Amino acid sequence: MFKTRRNPTLLIIAVILLSVTGFLLTHKVFADIQQGIDTQLKKLISVARLAQVYYVEDVNWNEAVEGAINGMLEKMDPHSVYIPAERVEENKENFSGEYEGIGIQFDVLDGYLTVIAPIPGSPSEQLGLSAGDRIVKINGESVVGISREEVPRKLKGPKGTTVNVTILREGMEQPLEFAITRDVIPISTITAGFMVDDSTGYLAVNRFAAITVKEVEEELRKLEAQKMKRLVLDLRWNSGGYLHEAVKLAGKFIDGHRLIVYTRDRSQKVDEEYFADQFGRGGVRNYPLIVLINRGSASASEIVAGAIQDYDRGLIVGENSFGKGLVQKEFPLQDGSAVRITTAKYYTPSGRCIQRDYKGKDVDEYYEEIPDSSWTSEDSLKNRPLFYTQKGRPVYGGGGIQPDVYVPAGQLSKSPELINKLSQKRLFFDYANHFAAKHPEWKSSLVNFRDNVQITSQQLEEFKKLCREKKVDFADREFDQDAEYLKLRLKAEIARRFWDANGYYYITLGSDPQYQKALRLFGEARRIASLQ
């Protein structure tokens, strides 16, 4: 390569000229932008003044301004959003992973505040509150007929304060009185975690909050203590959350100082890079890994799946993921509300931006567009940018994470509208709670329950009678054609009553085609990761 001598004086002058020119151009660009914003704001204010003077009714300016903000953000992209003040605190709780209260999952059934499940380790569990308990009084005041929205205001409160509740429990003639001292309640991001057999673990993560990786580490250690040798990591319906938690989770399976994800801002320059060991980790696992994804897997869950796929560390199984590759930053507003504005796009280690196209689509159209098998067809893939994994396997950008093995979810129910009606009224819960109370002998072992307990035709008829009593409108044919699925749901709900969410998923996964396929693919997962 030839070298040329440069005049240093000329070089310095050129740098100064370029700097001055760049400053002037940048100043002009920002001036033009500011002028454009000012013009549009003046237009908006003019419309508001006209509405104030001439509109036929009084204007609700809170609703009008929030509507204007929502409309502006929707025109930018589907993920820039306005958050009303009343939802900001709720969102903080969801992503901080904790709140202060008594610790129950609840619903209002037939006017009664009903305990769906006490949260493990909470004051409610420690005092013995149980699924199916009906809270009829709080601090001596009747709450029969209470709305769902009112419940948190009565039960949440500062740690150390006390709330008195009166409970009706099936099989008990007299109400039970509890004085519950509020505490910090974790909002778990783990849906379920258990050993499938003597070597296979299952772990489902429902979102990425501040406590997710801490919870995952605890669950992995429990499973490893039970001799787990391979893992199914279920990220289906995981809509995302904190990016750094996704990076930390991926780092539990990807060794070295490897790039997990990077972002580019509006200038297309690399804005941030995140590495597998950046936040510290409790050791890297090297057993075979399969990650389940579907159209509900988005954002942070796609970061994990994308990194696992790009480094050939595990096998991705299921359906095409959602395709959200936009990064939002939340900005507080003066009245306690907030906006989340897209500030960058994120990219997987191979260079994929997995954000799917949203230009020219309204928000409803964007969310209703369902990734399906057509997204993996040759016609679809030829229009998407091609990349390669570390070992040379082709992967595609521009439309979510394409699974290594496509498996449709299938539809177990033949009468989904009926199932929706029964679920909304929580009739599966009602029947399971009543039945479990009458048959405590079924709580011997989960494996024995799975293998030897079956819902009989007589029990199904009892359930049908309950549905009629609760005024659910359906035809016998509609109910009878879904008999097998109804039996599965009832059995799973009874298992939930005995063994919490682990029991429910242990039963339902037996009829899950994506999960069942995953169990047969560990040989391939081991091969692509070059594991011994």
Side-chain angles (χ1 to χ4, degrees), residues 176-232:
L176 304 175
E177 302 286 345
F178 292 91
I180 307 175
T181 301
R182 297 181 177 101
D183 203 343
V184 175
I185 309 299
I187 308 174
S188 180
T189 60
I190 304 298
T191 301
F194 51 82
M195 290 295 291
V196 177
D197 52 38
D198 59 1
S199 62
T200 309
Y202 172 82
L203 183 61
V205 181
N206 57 58
R207 70 187 187 285
F208 287 89
I211 61 171
T212 296
V213 172
K214 176 177 178 291
E215 288 188 314
V216 167
E217 179 65 27
E218 290 171 356
E219 289 294 328
L220 289 178
R221 290 183 180 182
K222 287 178 188 176
L223 296 173
E224 288 160 357
Q226 298 174 65
K227 311 301 182 184
M228 178 178 69
K229 304 298 182 188
R230 56 188 195 174
L231 175 67
V232 176

Side-chain angles (χ1 to χ4, degrees), residues 259-278:
L259 182 67
I260 299 299
V261 64
Y262 64 93
T263 64
R264 292 184 185 274
D265 59 20
R266 65 198 290 175
S267 70
Q268 289 301 300
K269 293 180 180 177
V270 173
D271 185 37
E272 297 281 355
E273 294 180 316
Y274 298 88
F275 295 88
D277 58 349
Q278 183 168 340

Side-chain angles (χ1 to χ4, degrees), residues 1-158:
M1 184 177 181
F2 294 103
K3 294 184 179 180
T4 57
R5 296 182 62 187
R6 294 181 175 86
N7 186 318
T9 303
L10 290 176
L11 185 61
I12 293 169
I13 292 171
V15 169
I16 293 171
L17 286 173
L18 284 171
S19 299
V20 172
T21 303
F23 171 79
L24 292 174
L25 286 173
T26 301
H27 180 75
K28 183 180 186 305
V29 168
F30 278 108
D32 289 345
I33 291 172
Q34 186 62 47
Q35 183 178 0
I37 291 173
D38 288 344
T39 299
Q40 297 306 316
L41 286 176
K42 287 177 182 177
K43 183 192 295 185
L44 180 61
I45 292 170
S46 296
V47 172
R49 285 173 176 165
L50 290 169
Q52 186 176 23
V53 174
Y54 295 109
Y55 187 63
V56 68
E57 298 176 0
D58 290 336
V59 177
N60 184 325
W61 287 109
N62 286 337
E63 290 184 2
V65 171
E66 288 187 359
I69 294 171
N70 281 321
M72 178 185 72
L73 295 175
E74 284 181 10
K75 290 295 183 182
M76 291 161 56
D77 70 77
H79 299 291
S80 292
V81 295
Y82 170 75
I83 307 169
E86 60 269 19
R87 280 187 49 211
V88 169
E89 193 60 35
E90 179 184 338
N91 286 343
K92 285 180 181 177
E93 283 183 1
N94 284 335
F95 286 105
S96 70
E98 62 183 31
Y99 69 95
E100 294 183 355
I102 69 169
I104 60 169
Q105 298 173 24
F106 72 89
D107 201 351
V108 178
L109 306 178
D110 297 327
Y112 287 95
L113 171 53
T114 304
V115 177
I116 301 303
I119 293 172
S122 69
S124 293
E125 184 195 49
Q126 292 168 5
L127 284 176
L129 268 70
S130 183
D133 283 350
R134 293 180 170 186
I135 299 175
V136 292
K137 290 182 181 180
I138 297 177
N139 290 330
E141 180 184 343
S142 173
V143 290
V144 177
I146 193 172
S147 69
R148 290 181 180 88
E149 293 72 27
E150 291 178 283
V151 174
R153 292 197 290 268
K154 291 185 176 291
L155 293 181
K156 287 183 178 179

Side-chain angles (χ1 to χ4, degrees), residues 247-310:
V247 173
K248 289 192 283 186
L249 178 53
K252 292 191 176 297
F253 301 98
I254 296 171
D255 61 9
H257 183 67
R258 299 202 203 185
L259 182 67
I260 299 299
V261 64
Y262 64 93
T263 64
R264 292 184 185 274
D265 59 20
R266 65 198 290 175
S267 70
Q268 289 301 300
K269 293 180 180 177
V270 173
D271 185 37
E272 297 281 355
E273 294 180 316
Y274 298 88
F275 295 88
D277 58 349
Q278 183 168 340
F279 301 103
R281 52 189 171 192
V284 181
R285 275 70 180 185
N286 62 359
Y287 36 70
L289 174 67
I290 290 178
V291 180
L292 294 177
I293 61 171
N294 67 1
R295 59 189 174 89
S297 307
S299 190
S301 57
E302 293 175 296
I303 290 175
V304 175
I308 295 294
Q309 189 175 55
D310 281 358

Side-chain angles (χ1 to χ4, degrees), residues 314-342:
L315 206 62
I316 311 300
V317 176
E319 299 165 298
N320 209 99
S321 65
F322 182 86
K324 179 184 180 292
L326 301 179
V327 181
Q328 284 75 45
K329 182 176 180 180
E330 187 168 309
F331 299 89
L333 302 177
Q334 300 93 322
D335 64 348
S337 61
V339 288
R340 284 188 193 147
I341 293 177
T342 296

